[in-house]
């Protein structure tokens, strides 16, 4: 699964709005939407905030497999 697809999956699973996740990540709604569309990659601070919200490691959040 791509990172952008994973963000959509996680959001829908928790039934959270994009605007709420944008606030959690400290970015605008438009910027967060671009993450989900695969048009932009988050900065580390946003990744950490999202990983904390979903209670995932950064590797799990970004679908990194070793």
């Amino acid at each position: 699964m791509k990172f952008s697809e994973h963000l959509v999956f996680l959001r829908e699973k928790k039934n959270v709005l994009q605007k709420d996740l944008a606030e959690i990540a400290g970015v605008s709604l438009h910027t967060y939407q671009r993450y989900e569309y695969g048009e932009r990659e988050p900065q580390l601070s946003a990744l950490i905030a999202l990983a904390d919200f979903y209670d995932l490691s950064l590797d799990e959040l970004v679908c990194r497999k070793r």
Side-chain angles (χ1 to χ4, degrees):
M1 180 180 297
K2 292 181 185 178
F3 172 64
S4 58
E5 295 168 339
H6 196 219
L7 283 180
V8 174
F9 170 79
L10 291 169
R11 179 175 56 79
E12 290 176 347
K13 184 177 175 182
K14 278 216 171 209
N15 198 27
V16 181
L17 299 174
Q18 285 180 331
K19 70 179 186 91
D20 295 329
L21 287 171
E23 187 174 317
I24 288 165
V27 298
S28 70
L29 173 59
H30 181 70
T31 297
Y32 180 81
Q33 289 171 331
R34 290 180 68 198
Y35 299 160
E36 286 196 2
Y37 300 148
E39 297 173 356
R40 184 173 178 171
E41 293 183 356
Q43 292 186 350
L44 183 57
S45 58
L47 287 171
I48 291 170
L50 292 170
D52 286 348
F53 175 76
Y54 289 120
D55 194 29
L56 299 172
S57 71
L58 288 174
D59 284 343
E60 291 169 319
L61 180 67
V62 301
C63 304
R64 181 174 182 259
K65 296 179 181 162
R66 300 183 100 198

